[in-house]
């Protein structure tokens, strides 16, 4: 091994393709979709669904194939799967962060099934994402009105009905990204976190798969938002919702064995999802920074490298600071992703990347609005939209503060009891 | 292929440097700072680890090739020990590396052997100038060519170890073209005058000097790289990357000390690290140290690719300038009143950390 920052050529080429997708199916519709909040980005969805469907199919086919007699073939080089995903999300978010979130895929729901599900569950639940002409969405439902950052205090209950061999869920889940697309507009699914025993605290919390069409499940409020307006964010109401016994991920036991990956497994999906939220932040920030530089160039303001502070204008210094900040966030994200690809534990690095990228996109996009004067604030350009879109990355998948708290616990080697 | 793992050789170097930093440099850092005097036995140990010779090509008698990545890895560990010692040990590089990279064959043959000796090489470089507004692209020190000779005039500041140096690499503005060039000057050349030792807020254990050049006449062959000259932008980039890496080392020293202290120090019945106000400050410090390190690595990697790294190097340095101040201030703040007492190292790290925006030309990879 050696320290190296070179992105493999095939990923550079993939990124160029994605850029084309962003330029043709995202950017031209970005403003119109933002102004018409609950419209769907059909051009993007139709273009991307067959690609994602076929990728999912390939993954499931691989799962079904009997293992080679020789056992796992040793890979000659480390995986670049998540690095590829990072670059994909960065570029799609450069196109439009709200549209990107409408990606027809299992999304976080799929991540939980991948991380915790049995082979049978994976095949049964994920096949819908691998076939047909109609796009399908997945979602993750953790947050409740009284349980935001503190997701251990959720109150949605799951009770097993032995007569019908079903789980019965009751409660209200809010802020579900793509919840309506998953349950009402496609044959998708949502991972719902519910407790089987409130007294047991964390140990009682389990992830359940709620499929579209399950009785007792309905969509409540459809949120109106500051940014990512194209993304569907809804409340899911569970009123004696009934799902099959086999739709629990991991063990139902409160005193689970060490092998049980239920709650912890689902929590571990954050280690994978946080760098990808950071990647989205990077894309939005880069869009804003590039646009600012382009407009400044048109005005005859170039950004020089190498000059002492006293020879820079305030605007130049601001832009250089934005650029450095973006680079810092990019490199932290890259590191967390490369660790994931190598199968290394990256909880600390993932939270560092998420905290930094959330802060960076906030700062960079807010500054971009300021630097471009009246046009920066105008809805004629996309900069003000990028500022509104970017902010979500400092909030979902753990706020900047929650991720800072995780970093703090890790570096201090403290449990959540020692550092609350 | 993206990777953040150093080679085995580099890891060995990091481990060796870290042991040296903790077991030797740290032991004398306070006393050296208080007495404004370098501890030469410790400096010599660092010199004899052979960082500079290992960057000199084998055909010239060195043991390897110049690697900016290896350079930043070593620089961070040295500065983690103490910034004065780090800069002291690496001062000969300010002369040796530009000659290695850009020197004419004669310059390399005559000048590089001194860096292969066991004794500390008596060479330094002079870039910075006195005053408020310094600009490496518009130096006040001038080089005027006439009759096959070059005449240097001007004053340089913060020239490290100029008192004991025999050779100086002096950067000056070509009076005709305005271009910045390097000139190899023997210190005993008439007109070279070592003025006062600089009195600085930090960096006290590293003697630096004001040096005046009054009608100093050198041969045309004294110009670094001869007629072709040198790539001054690349030299400046190498300086920025080295300083960024040293800033990371200083910041990491302060961060780690504050982190450990915060877990020990009990107030209101519990370690102060259990308060979010302290824990969050430490978490931010950790994130900033890592950010700046990765930026320095990326810039160094780009240098090693032979690519133009001027943007990366500049951004890394600019970021590190702010980072090291933020982190070393946080380190002092974490220790509260004790942080202000000179027996604790955090105030020294803050004094050293504050200097980075000013340290142009004081380090190189």
């Amino acid at each position: 091994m050696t320290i190296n920052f070179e992105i493999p050529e095939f990923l550079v080429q993939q990124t160029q393709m994605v850029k084309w997708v962003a330029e043709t199916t995202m950017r031209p519709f970005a403003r119109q979709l933002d102004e018409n909040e609950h419209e769907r980005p059909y051009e993007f969805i139709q273009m991307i669904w067959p690609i994602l469907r076929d990728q999912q199919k390939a993954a499931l086919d691989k799962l079904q194939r009997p293992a080679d007699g020789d056992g796992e073939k040793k890979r000659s080089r480390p995986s670049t799967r998540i690095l590829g995903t990072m670059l994909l999300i960065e570029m799609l978010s450069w196109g439009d962060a709200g549209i990107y979130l409408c990606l027809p895929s299992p999304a976080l729901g799929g991540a939980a099934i991948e991380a915790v599900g049995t082979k049978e569950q994976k095949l049964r639940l994920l096949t819908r994402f691998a076939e047909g002409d109609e796009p399908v969405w997945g979602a993750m439902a953790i947050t409740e009105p009284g349980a935001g950052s503190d997701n251990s205090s959720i109150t949605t209950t799951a009770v097993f009905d032995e007569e019908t061999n079903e789980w019965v869920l009751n409660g209200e889940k809010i802020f579900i990204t793509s919840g309506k697309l998953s349950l009402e507009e496609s044959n998708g699914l949502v991972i719902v976190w519910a407790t089987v025993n409130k007294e047991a605290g964390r140990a009682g919390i389990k992830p359940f798969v709620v499929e579209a069409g399950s009785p007792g499940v309905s969509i409540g409020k459809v949120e109106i938002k500051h940014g990512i307006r194209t993304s569907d964010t809804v409340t899911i109401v569970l009123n004696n919702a009934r799902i099959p016994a086999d739709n629990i991920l991991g063990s139902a036991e409160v005193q689970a064995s060490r092998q049980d990956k239920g709650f912890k497994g689902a929590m571990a999906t954050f280690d994978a999802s946080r760098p990808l939220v950071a990647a989205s932040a990077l894309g939005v920030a880069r869009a804003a920074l590039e646009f600012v530089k382009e407009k400044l160039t048109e005005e005859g303001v170039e950004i020089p490298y190498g000059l002492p502070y006293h020879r820079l204008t305030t605007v130049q210094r601001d832009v250089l600071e934005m650029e450095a900040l973006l680079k810092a966030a990019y490199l932290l994200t890259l590191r967390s992703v490369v660790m994931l690809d190598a199968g290394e534990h990256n909880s600390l690095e993932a939270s560092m990347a998420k905290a930094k990228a959330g802060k960076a996109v906030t700062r960079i996009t807010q500054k971009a609005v300021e630097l471009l004067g009246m046009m920066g604030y105008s809805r004629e350009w996309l900069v003000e939209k990028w500022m509104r879109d970017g902010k979500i990355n400092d909030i979902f998948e753990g706020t900047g503060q929650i991720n800072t708290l995780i970093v703090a616990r890790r570096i201090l080697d403290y449990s959540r009891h020692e550092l609350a | 292929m993206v990777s953040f793992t150093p080679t085995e050789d580099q890891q060995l170097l990091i481990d060796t440097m870290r042991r040296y930093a903790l077991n030797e440099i740290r032991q004398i850092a306070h006393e050296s700072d208080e007495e404004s005097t370098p501890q030469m036995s410790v400096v010599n140990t660092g010199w004899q680890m052979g960082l500079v010779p290992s960057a000199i090509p084998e055909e010239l008698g060195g043991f390897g090739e110049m690697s900016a990545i290896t350079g930043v890895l070593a620089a961070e560990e040295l500065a983690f020990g103490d910034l004065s010692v780090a800069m002291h040990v690496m001062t000969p590089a300010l002369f040796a590396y530009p000659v290695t990279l850009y020197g004419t064959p004669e310059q390399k043959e005559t000048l590089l052997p001194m860096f292969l000796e066991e004794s500390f090489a008596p060479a330094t470089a002079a870039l910075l100038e006195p005053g408020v507004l310094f600009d490496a692209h518009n130096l006040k020190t001038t080089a005027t060519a006439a009759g096959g000779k070059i005449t240097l005039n001007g004053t340089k500041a913060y020239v490290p170890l100029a008192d004991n140096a025999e050779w100086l690499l002096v950067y000056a503005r070509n009076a005709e073209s305005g271009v910045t060039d390097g000139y190899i000057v023997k210190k005993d050349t008439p007109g070279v005058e070592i003025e006062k030792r600089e009195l600085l807020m930090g960096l006290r254990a590293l003697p630096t000097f004001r040096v005046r050049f009054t009608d100093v006449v050198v041969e045309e062959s004294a110009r670094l790289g001869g007629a072709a000259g040198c790539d001054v932008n690349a030299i400046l980039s190498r300086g920025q990357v080295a300083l960024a890496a040293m800033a990371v080392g200083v910041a990491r020293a302060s961060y780690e000390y504050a982190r450990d202290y915060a877990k020990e120090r009990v107030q209101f019945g519990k370690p102060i690290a259990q308060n979010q106000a302290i824990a969050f400050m430490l978490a931010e410090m950790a994130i900033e140290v890592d950010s700046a390190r990765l930026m320095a690595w990326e810039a160094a990697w780009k240098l090693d690719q032979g690519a133009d790294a001027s943007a990366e190097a500049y951004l890394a340095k600019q970021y590190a300038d702010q980072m090291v101040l933020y982190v070393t201030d946080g380190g002092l703040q974490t220790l509260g009143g004790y942080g202000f007492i000179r027996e604790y190292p955090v105030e020294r790290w803050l004094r050293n950390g504050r200097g980075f925006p000013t340290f142009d030309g004081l380090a190189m990879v």
Side-chain angles (χ1 to χ4, degrees), chain A residues 282-329:
Chain A
L282 298 173
V284 178
R286 184 167 63 85
L289 179 61
E290 283 179 5
F291 189 80
V292 165
K293 288 175 80 170
E294 193 183 306
K295 290 298 159 191
L296 288 175
T297 303
E298 285 174 21
E299 298 294 329
V301 179
E302 294 292 343
I303 306 304
Y305 301 99
L307 291 187
Y309 288 150
H310 60 84
R311 282 186 56 197
L312 296 173
T313 64
T314 317
V315 169
Q316 288 171 327
R317 198 165 167 175
D318 279 346
V319 173
L320 286 165
E321 192 188 308
M322 289 154 75
E323 206 165 317
L325 194 55
L326 179 59
K327 195 172 265 300

Side-chain angles (χ1 to χ4, degrees), chain B residues 218-254:
Chain B
V218 294
E219 298 296 324
E220 265 190 342
S221 61
R223 187 162 82 144
L224 178 63
C230 63
D231 183 348
V232 76
N233 282 322
I235 290 178
L236 293 172
S237 292
R238 287 178 172 277
Q240 286 157 356
V241 173
L243 288 171
M246 286 191 184
V248 172
V250 173
R252 193 182 102 216
S254 184

Side-chain angles (χ1 to χ4, degrees), chain B residues 54-138:
Chain B
S54 69
I56 292 174
E58 280 174 28
E59 62 265 28
L60 291 163
F63 345 110
E65 57 176 338
M66 184 128 7
S67 160
I69 285 273
T70 305
V72 296
L73 296 172
E76 176 181 334
E77 297 307 324
L78 286 171
F80 174 71
D82 179 64
L83 185 63
S84 293
V85 174
M87 285 181 165
H88 196 144
V89 168
M90 294 309 291
T91 286
L94 302 177
F95 188 102
Y97 291 0
V99 169
T100 303
L101 288 165
Y102 304 109
T104 62
E106 300 93 284
Q107 286 169 347
K108 288 184 197 177
E109 267 170 45
T110 51
L111 297 168
L112 292 181
M114 77 176 120
F115 300 98
L116 305 172
E117 300 292 322
E118 203 177 293
S119 56
F120 193 80
T124 184
L127 174 68
L128 201 62
E129 297 178 337
V132 178
L133 304 181
F134 172 72
D135 183 354
H137 295 284
N138 191 20

Side-chain angles (χ1 to χ4, degrees), chain A residues 1-8 80 83 305-312 320 323-324 327-328 331-332 334-335 338 352 356 359 401 404-405 407-408 411-414 418-420, chain B residues 1-7 69 73 133-135 137 255 259 263 271 273-274 276 279-280 282-284 286-288 290-291 294-295 297-298 301 310-312 314-315 318-319 321:
Chain A
M1 287 301 239
T2 180
I3 292 167
N4 191 335
F5 292 86
E6 186 162 20
I7 304 292
T80 54
L83 175 59
Y305 301 99
L307 291 187
Y309 288 150
H310 60 84
R311 282 186 56 197
L312 296 173
L320 286 165
E323 206 165 317
K327 195 172 265 300
L331 292 169
L332 287 174
L334 188 66
R335 178 177 66 169
V338 167
M352 280 186 165
K356 185 71 181 177
K359 208 185 253 189
Q401 288 64 41
T404 306
L405 181 61
V407 171
I411 60 169
L412 291 163
D413 198 18
Y414 276 162
E418 289 165 301
L419 182 61
Chain B
M1 190 59 215
V2 184
S3 162
F4 297 86
T5 311
T7 63
I69 285 273
L73 296 172
L133 304 181
F134 172 72
D135 183 354
H137 295 284
Y255 153 68
R259 176 198 64 194
K263 289 190 73 172
Q274 289 186 9
Q276 282 196 352
F280 273 36
L282 292 166
E284 297 281 0
I287 293 171
E288 291 307 303
D290 278 12
S291 295
L294 294 176
M295 290 174 79
W297 282 12
E298 191 202 24
W301 170 77
S310 50
E312 286 79 5
Y314 181 72
L315 292 175
Q318 195 191 44
Y319 196 89
D321 285 347

Side-chain angles (χ1 to χ4, degrees), chain A residues 144-158:
Chain A
E144 296 177 3
S149 295
D150 177 11
N151 50 41
S152 68
S153 65
I154 59 176
T155 58
T156 294
T157 55

